[in-house]
Amino acid sequence: MDNNITPQNPMQKQDTYYEATMRWIEDTYLKYFGQNRTSYGVKETLSKTEVTGNKDVDGIQHAVGETVGNVFAEGGVGESVGKVVDKGLLTR
């Protein structure tokens, strides 16, 4: 099987279509909830840092993660930054 991606390779078209479709699905889902990839990524990353096991400390970490993530979401102060990072850096 040839794994080289060339203009003649039909898999490239399928991969491109798949990637574009998945990005559209993800963007539509996130937009429905007022998020973008940046805000979602920040929230997910900060929620994974809850390592203390103390529910009060973990609750504070969760609240901080939500707040920071919402800064980059639709309507947030950093919405334009979130869009730039989303389009420029967080491509599939």
Side-chain angles (χ1 to χ4, degrees):
M1 181 173 170
D2 185 21
N3 290 330
N4 295 330
I5 297 175
T6 63
Q8 295 80 22
N9 187 347
M11 284 300 293
Q12 183 180 15
K13 289 182 182 178
Q14 291 174 349
D15 290 344
T16 302
Y17 177 76
Y18 174 79
E19 293 295 325
T21 302
M22 288 307 297
R23 180 155 177 100
W24 179 82
I25 290 169
E26 290 168 353
D27 288 342
T28 302
Y29 177 83
L30 291 171
K31 187 172 183 174
Y32 179 78
F33 291 105
Q35 302 294 317
N36 57 38
R37 291 176 192 277
T38 307
S39 63
Y40 180 77
V42 167
K43 288 179 182 181
E44 280 296 303
T45 301
L46 292 177
S47 72
K48 291 178 183 177
T49 61
E50 298 173 357
V51 293
T52 63
N54 182 320
K55 68 177 184 168
D56 295 328
V57 174
D58 288 346
I60 292 170
Q61 287 176 325
H62 179 72
V64 168
E66 287 290 318
T67 303
V68 172
N70 288 336
V71 167
F72 299 108
E74 283 187 33
V77 176
E79 176 181 7
S80 60
V81 173
K83 286 182 179 179
V84 169
V85 170
D86 180 34
K87 298 298 181 202
L89 300 175
L90 299 178
T91 57
R92 290 185 129 271

